[in-house]
C-alpha cells in the first residue's frame, strides 16, 4: 500500500492510496485533505443541484459511510479512466474494509454507472447490489420514481 499524510497521490494501477475525508460534496463525490476531489467510480447518485429525489439522502449515506476526518483508501481501477472531464480522481473508496461504492448501491443511495459499457473491477458486485436494493425497495427504490440503465446516469423524481 502507498500512503501519504492526508492527501491523495496518483497510485500505480490497482494499488491503493490512503487519504482523509475533508468534505462530502454529494452522494458520489468527496474531497480529501490536500485538495483532491474524488468521484466514486462506477456509481451515480441523484443530483443535488438538480433537485432530484433522494439526492440529500444519498449525500447523508455517503457522510455516514465516510464522515469527515475518516481515513479511507482510494483504489484506482486500471480498466477505467484515472480522472473525469472535471479533473476529479475516479476511485473506489474503502472505509474500514468496506467498499463504499458497492455499499451505497446496496443501500439504494446510488446506482451502478458503467459508462460506455465499461465494466470495472467491481462491476459484478455493483450489479448484484442494485438487484438487492431494488428487490428490497431500499432507498431511492421506495422513495422515488427511478429511471436507470447501467450505462446511463440515474434520474429520479418524487412519487
Amino acid at each position: 500500500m502507498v500512503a501519504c499524510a492526508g492527501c491523495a497521490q496518483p497510485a500505480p494501477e490497482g494499488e491503493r492510496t490512503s487519504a482523509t475525508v475533508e468534505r462530502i460534496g454529494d452522494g458520489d463525490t468527496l474531497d480529501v485533505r490536500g485538495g483532491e476531489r474524488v468521484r466514486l467510480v462506477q456509481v451515480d447518485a441523484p443530483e443535488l443541484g438538480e433537485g432530484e429525489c433522494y439526492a440529500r439522502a444519498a449525500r447523508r449515506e455517503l457522510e455516514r459511510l465516510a464522515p469527515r476526518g475518516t481515513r479511507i483508501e482510494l483504489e484506482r481501477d486500471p480498466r477505467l479512466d484515472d480522472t473525469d472531464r472535471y479533473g476529479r480522481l475516479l476511485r473506489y473508496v474503502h472505509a474500514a474494509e468496506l467498499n463504499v461504492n458497492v455499499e451505497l448501491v446496496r443501500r439504494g443511495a446510488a446506482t451502478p454507472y458503467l459508462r460506455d459499457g465499461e465494466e470495472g473491477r467491481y462491476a459484478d458486485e455493483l450489479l448484484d447490489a442494485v438487484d438487492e436494493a431494488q428487490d428490497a425497495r431500499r432507498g431511492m427504490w421506495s422513495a422515488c420514481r427511478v429511471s436507470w440503465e447501467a450505462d446511463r446516469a440515474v434520474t429520479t423524481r418524487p412519487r
Side-chain angles (χ1 to χ4, degrees):
M1 176 189 319
V2 179
C4 68
C7 61
Q9 299 284 332
E13 292 184 359
E15 289 190 24
R16 296 181 183 189
T17 57
S18 181
T20 301
V21 176
E22 184 65 31
R23 184 180 83 78
I24 302 299
D26 61 19
D28 54 30
T29 308
L30 56 82
D31 296 336
V32 296
R33 287 191 189 144
E36 292 288 345
R37 180 155 285 174
V38 178
R39 170 69 163 76
L40 279 69
V41 70
Q42 298 256 279
V43 299
D44 188 46
E47 295 297 326
L48 273 172
E50 296 173 21
E52 286 192 88
C53 179
Y54 215 76
R56 286 189 179 99
R59 180 180 181 198
R60 283 191 303 272
E61 283 300 322
L62 183 53
E63 287 173 335
R64 284 183 192 108
L65 293 168
R68 184 171 194 250
T70 300
R71 294 288 292 172
I72 58 174
E73 290 185 344
L74 304 175
E75 180 183 3
R76 183 184 187 291
D77 193 324
R79 303 175 197 181
L80 306 171
D81 291 338
D82 185 51
T83 58
D84 68 7
R85 63 184 172 170
Y86 304 109
R88 299 177 295 188
L89 296 174
L90 296 172
R91 299 291 186 268
Y92 299 108
V93 173
H94 300 271
E97 304 300 321
L98 182 70
N99 183 323
V100 173
N101 305 49
V102 172
E103 187 61 23
L104 284 170
V105 173
R106 183 173 288 112
R107 292 181 181 197
T111 60
Y113 181 31
L114 311 181
R115 194 173 63 94
D116 299 326
E118 295 176 331
E119 292 191 9
R121 175 175 294 166
Y122 300 103
D124 289 341
E125 289 178 53
L126 290 164
L127 293 169
D128 288 346
V130 76
D131 288 343
E132 183 181 323
Q134 287 174 313
D135 291 347
R137 298 189 51 78
R138 278 191 213 117
M140 73 176 85
W141 301 106
S142 68
C144 313
R145 292 183 203 168
V146 180
S147 297
W148 170 76
E149 294 178 34
D151 62 347
R152 297 174 194 247
V154 67
T155 57
T156 57
R157 300 182 318 276
R159 287 197 176 274

